[in-house]
Amino acid sequence: MLTKAEKTRKFIIQTVAPLFNQKGYAATSMSDITTVTGLTKGAIYGNFENKETLAVEAFRANVNWLLQKVAVHQQSTDSPIGKLLLITDFYRNYYESSKQLGGCPILNIGVDAKHQNSVLLSMVCRVIDKTQLHIEKLVLMAQEQGELSDGINAKSFAKTMYGSIQGAIFMMQTTDDPSYLNETSNLLENTLRQYKI
């Protein structure tokens, strides 16, 4: 059971996570944070050393939510190629689910942190590396199990797949048009089917 202090910390993180995601680290003020939480600056600083510490925890919460959703979505199959196809399937519906987060945390925080916050930027880069490695391992497993031919390069496909998804998310968020993710998912699925054995 969580203590009162742990509950307060959790409440602050969950409440400000979409705010940091929407406005970015630099543009989110302490006044914004106290307004959305209904807490004083003293209460915020009593739970977090500074704004950066809170931003880091908010990003971690958003990313954990996202990665957990993707992982749960992939649980319906043990097939590596099936899991790859479920990644694209997950992102078909990302338009609505990402609204809970204030948009895509990897894209939003990555762009925002690039020239402003090296700590957040390194966290985004680790998530990108981890995600691409996950895709690469699935491709290699699919090849080992005879689901995909050796004609597809696992590392190259992982970068192409995740880069295409993030590019489509950018276009979707910018234009408010979810068809970018649908078209990208179709393209990635067709590529996988071309190499399917």
Side-chain angles (χ1 to χ4, degrees), residues 124-140:
V124 172
C125 289
R126 280 198 300 273
V127 173
I128 291 169
D129 289 343
K130 180 180 177 181
T131 304
Q132 289 179 170
L133 184 60
H134 174 66
I135 294 168
E136 183 181 344
K137 285 179 178 177
L138 287 174
V139 172
L140 291 170

Side-chain angles (χ1 to χ4, degrees), residues 64-137:
N64 286 343
W65 180 92
L66 173 59
L67 296 180
Q68 185 177 23
K69 290 281 186 187
V70 174
V72 167
H73 198 71
Q74 290 181 297
Q75 286 177 354
S76 63
T77 183
D78 291 327
S79 158
I81 194 169
K83 288 183 182 294
L84 287 165
L85 292 168
L86 283 170
I87 292 172
T88 59
D89 183 65
F90 172 83
Y91 281 103
R92 284 183 189 281
N93 302 305
Y94 192 53
Y95 181 69
E96 289 302 322
S97 62
S98 68
K99 287 181 180 178
Q100 296 175 47
L101 304 175
C104 178
I106 295 135
L107 176 66
N108 290 1
I109 300 302
V111 171
D112 179 66
K114 177 65 179 173
H115 301 291
Q116 300 185 61
N117 191 300
S118 60
V119 174
L120 283 171
L121 181 61
S122 68
M123 290 180 73
V124 172
C125 289
R126 280 198 300 273
V127 173
I128 291 169
D129 289 343
K130 180 180 177 181
T131 304
Q132 289 179 170
L133 184 60
H134 174 66
I135 294 168
E136 183 181 344
K137 285 179 178 177

